[in-house]
Amino acid sequence: EVQLVESGGGLVKPGSSLKLSCVASGFTFSSYGMHWIRQAPKKGLEWIALIYYDSSNKYYADSVKGRFTISRDNSKNTLYLEMNSLRSEDTAMYYCAKLEFDYWGQGVMVTVSS
Amino acid sequence: NIVMTQSPKSMSISVGDRVTMNCKASQNVGNNIAWYQQKPGQSPKLLIYYASNRYTGVPDRFTGGGYGTDFTLTINSVQAEDAAFYYCQRIYNSPNTFGAGTKLELK
């Protein structure tokens, strides 16, 4: 059974940093690209980043480019999202998803507030 | 960047009705569109990929269509459990932009 489990969320102050993790199981993690998607409270879905299976390519939404970094450790079956210079508008549920968006995690909440 | 525009924003439908919702891409995306269903407190679930392919386990009352810039998701004989938000998304090429969603309510 495919499982994606996010962690690392919480309440942080504007300007601070946070690193999210997504542990994958039930499929060959090292063979698939992975995404991060977020959803602000009562709002729609926003795709924010993609990393290829071998980390050779990374893509970002304009809203996070230069502040967020997607990475992965295939030896640990883990996807990461490092978030710097956090703003109130980054407050959202953050989901990881497998390349074809066929599997999603349950999400982890990030709240940016003073 | 490509913008995905969904319409209508919301719709109220009776059980057993047929409903069609729309998704328009600002540029030609071929058939690189997916549709998702999201219920409150849950992660999105993939319904349709590459515009018209039903994902594993999705009931056949869900049908996707379209090509290029105009796409539709049709639900035949809507059931009570279909009340949810529905999102379209450009897939295959990044950025994988989502539409703003259509809220389907049951009368």
Side-chain angles (χ1 to χ4, degrees), chain A residues 20-81:
Chain A
L20 306 182
S21 300
C22 166
V23 177
S25 60
F27 66 103
T28 307
F29 179 74
S30 58
S31 296
Y32 290 89
M34 295 290 294
H35 301 271
W36 285 101
I37 303 102
R38 68 184 180 184
Q39 186 170 34
K42 303 294 186 186
K43 299 293 185 183
L45 300 167
E46 180 187 16
W47 173 86
I48 56 174
L50 161 67
I51 185 168
Y52 277 19
Y53 71 99
D54 59 356
S55 303
S56 59
N57 285 288
K58 302 175 185 181
Y59 299 91
Y60 298 93
D62 289 344
S63 58
V64 305
K65 202 174 294 182
R67 298 188 301 124
F68 289 12
T69 301
I70 189 171
S71 63
R72 64 192 296 158
D73 185 337
N74 285 344
S75 69
K76 296 181 178 179
N77 284 356
T78 303
L79 174 72
Y80 302 101
L81 185 68

Side-chain angles (χ1 to χ4, degrees), chain B residues 12-19 75-79 82 106-107:
Chain B
S12 184
I13 304 294
S14 298
V15 170
D17 283 354
R18 173 178 169 162
V19 61
I75 312 174
N76 287 302
S77 189
V78 169
Q79 302 299 301
D82 299 336
L106 279 293
K107 290 179 183 173

Side-chain angles (χ1 to χ4, degrees), chain B residues 33-70:
Chain B
I33 288 291
W35 290 92
Y36 302 86
Q37 178 192 68
Q38 187 181 32
K39 298 180 180 179
Q42 296 184 15
S43 305
K45 289 183 169 57
L46 178 64
L47 296 174
I48 302 288
Y49 61 98
Y50 291 128
S52 60
N53 295 276
R54 204 175 292 116
Y55 184 60
T56 305
V58 174
D60 60 8
R61 64 179 181 273
F62 291 90
T63 302
Y67 187 89
T69 60
D70 293 286

Side-chain angles (χ1 to χ4, degrees), chain B residues 17-32:
Chain B
D17 283 354
R18 173 178 169 162
V19 61
T20 296
M21 56 191 77
N22 303 287
C23 176
K24 188 173 185 69
S26 60
Q27 299 175 36
N28 187 338
V29 295
N31 68 340
N32 293 323

